[in-house]
Amino acid sequence: MRFFDRALDNGRSIRVRTTDRSDGDFAIGGVALELEDRRRHVIDRPWLWLHQVHGAEVVVLDDRAIDFVCGASADASVTGRTDVALSIQTADCVPIALWSDDGVIAAVHAGWRGLEAGVIETAVTELRSQSAGSLYAFVGPSIGPECYEFGDADLDRLVNRFGNEVRSETTDGRPALDVRSGVRLELARLGVVLESEDIDCTACNEQLFSHRARAETQRQAMVVWIEES
Ligand SMILES: [Zn+2]
């Protein structure tokens, strides 16, 4: 498991954890009790999880019971609550935690489809509607460009949208997408400060699950929460 903590001005702190193979499988649809056990081992509080659909929908957890929001079809969640944790499960896509310096948080699932659909922007817009503070980001491990061969037509479209920095090459010289660059560019465009980026590649590092490299169905989790003290 990887750890990232950041103190806020109000005495609270942001905690982010990203799991690896040794923490087990966080894919939705496994044995529910075992999944709950794994989650509670990472952080012992209710997890808000999503049925991720590679879109741009964001769900907001206000003071409703978490069960009304868990399992929603969406790729980002936002809350200011301190009694829950927001989670994303990934294999090669980019997990992103966002927070405002007055303590509203978001968890975002951004593969290339979500990036193109604008999921980072919808999450940032929701955060800004709840907070006037500055926004910060943590970016977790995802597939690196050296391992992410990509079709020319899709790549050209993404280059047009985000800029030439997203065009890259695999280690054997094939066209590749640098999805992390797309995330960095989008965060910068939206005025979000990138505090921490984990550039470990899910395909290269066998401690991480990869759909692209190993056709694995398991998922790692990224979870973010607000600690009161
Ligand atoms: Zn790689």
Side-chain angles (χ1 to χ4, degrees):
M1 193 168 357
R2 299 161 189 215
F3 297 76
F4 173 85
D5 295 348
R6 189 63 87 232
L8 300 175
D9 293 341
N10 58 14
R12 294 177 174 175
S13 60
I14 300 297
R15 305 268 163 99
V16 184
R17 303 290 178 264
T18 46
T19 67
D20 59 35
R21 189 178 299 275
S22 66
D23 301 301
D25 177 14
F26 289 84
I28 306 304
V31 178
L33 280 175
E34 292 178 6
L35 182 54
E36 187 61 17
D37 264 3
R38 271 179 222 124
R39 287 172 171 158
R40 295 282 176 158
H41 189 73
V42 177
I43 169 65
D44 188 12
R45 55 171 74 187
W47 283 40
L48 172 55
W49 56 274
L50 303 170
H51 271 300
Q52 297 163 188
V53 292
H54 301 279
E57 284 293 316
V58 53
V59 296
V60 177
L61 180 64
D62 47 26
D63 46 13
R64 286 177 291 177
I66 191 169
D67 289 348
F68 286 105
V69 183
C70 266
S73 291
D75 290 273
S77 54
V78 171
T79 196
R81 281 170 57 169
T82 57
D83 62 332
V84 297
L86 304 180
S87 71
I88 291 296
Q89 55 281 350
T90 63
D92 299 314
C93 290
V94 188
I96 307 167
L98 302 170
W99 65 95
S100 66
D101 52 14
D102 56 359
V104 184
I105 57 174
V108 181
H109 166 246
W112 72 267
R113 287 189 185 85
L115 186 67
E116 188 175 27
V119 67
I120 298 176
E121 181 162 11
T122 57
V124 165
T125 300
E126 181 57 42
L127 276 173
R128 290 230 160 90
S129 79
Q130 296 193 28
S131 166
S134 300
L135 299 186
Y136 302 88
F138 164 95
V139 174
S142 64
I143 193 163
E146 78 283 356
C147 296
Y148 203 18
E149 184 178 347
F150 218 72
D152 277 326
D154 286 333
L155 191 53
D156 286 347
R157 206 177 57 249
L158 291 164
V159 166
N160 280 336
R161 167 81 178 272
F162 295 103
N164 208 44
E165 294 97 319
V166 303
R167 189 190 296 281
S168 190
E169 277 190 356
T170 61
T171 31
D172 55 359
R174 296 171 194 276
L177 174 66
D178 188 342
V179 67
R180 296 172 186 151
S181 271
V183 167
R184 280 195 296 268
L185 290 163
E186 190 70 340
L187 290 170
R189 183 180 73 82
L190 296 164
V192 179
V193 177
L194 178 54
E195 279 266 307
S196 176
E197 182 184 21
D198 187 335
I199 56 165
D200 213 2
C201 172
T202 48
C204 291
N205 185 345
E206 296 196 359
Q207 285 307 304
L208 299 168
F209 296 118
S210 175
H211 173 71
R212 176 60 83 96
R214 292 178 289 280
E216 290 172 311
T217 57
Q218 300 100 313
R219 296 291 180 264
Q220 42 260 348
M222 184 207 74
V223 60
V224 54
W225 71 92
I226 305 165
E227 197 71 44
E228 294 258 27
S229 57

